[in-house]
């Protein structure tokens, strides 16, 4: 059962950049379909970006396409989300997830029979 720990959240001015990280306990990190979700208080959790296992192909929600980049460091079993041109509406909790189905537009990714795992979240505030 992989463990996920997010870090790197904080406060940034609108138009600025921030990178959040997700450190995992995975031994074979490329065997996991990884994703970032976000959730505002009182709202449903929404998918932000996903990176497919093995191939590393990336996918994004329309709301962040061109501004956010998901990436992974296989040597350190770490997932990243680089966020540029941040907007006040990006102010939410960000969660990383392993093998959790994620809906991005009309397509659902990371659909697997394997058990999904969530991190505890990291807060991003854009002022």
């Amino acid at each position: 059962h992989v463990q996920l720990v997010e870090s790197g959240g904080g406060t940034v001015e609108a138009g600025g950049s921030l990178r959040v990280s997700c450190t995992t306990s995975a031994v074979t990190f490329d065997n996991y379909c990884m994703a970032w979700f976000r959730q505002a208080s009182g709202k449903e959790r929404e998918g932000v970006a996903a990176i497919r296992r093995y191939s590393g192909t990336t996918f994004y929600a329309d709301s962040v396409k061109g501004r956010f980049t998901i990436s992974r460091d296989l040597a350190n079993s770490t997932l990243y989300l680089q966020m540029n041109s941040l907007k006040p509406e990006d102010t939410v909790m960000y969660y990383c997830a392993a093998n959790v189905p994620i809906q991005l537009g009309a397509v659902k990714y990371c659909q697997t029979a394997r058990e999904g795992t969530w991190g505890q979240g990291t807060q991003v505030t854009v002022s």
Side-chain angles (χ1 to χ4, degrees), residues 24-70:
T24 84
S25 63
V27 175
T28 51
F29 188 43
D30 66 343
N31 196 29
Y32 292 84
C33 186
M34 300 297 298
W36 287 98
F37 291 77
R38 63 185 184 182
Q39 186 172 24
S41 179
K43 295 189 176 182
E44 289 189 5
R45 195 167 294 187
E46 64 171 353
V48 175
I51 186 164
R52 194 173 261 169
R53 63 177 182 162
Y54 304 128
S55 70
T57 306
T58 58
F59 306 92
Y60 298 91
D62 287 344
S63 59
V64 305
K65 203 171 292 184
R67 299 190 299 124
F68 289 11
T69 302
I70 186 172

Side-chain angles (χ1 to χ4, degrees), residues 65-78:
K65 203 171 292 184
R67 299 190 299 124
F68 289 11
T69 302
I70 186 172
S71 63
R72 64 187 183 181
D73 180 345
L74 296 179
N76 293 299
S77 298
T78 301

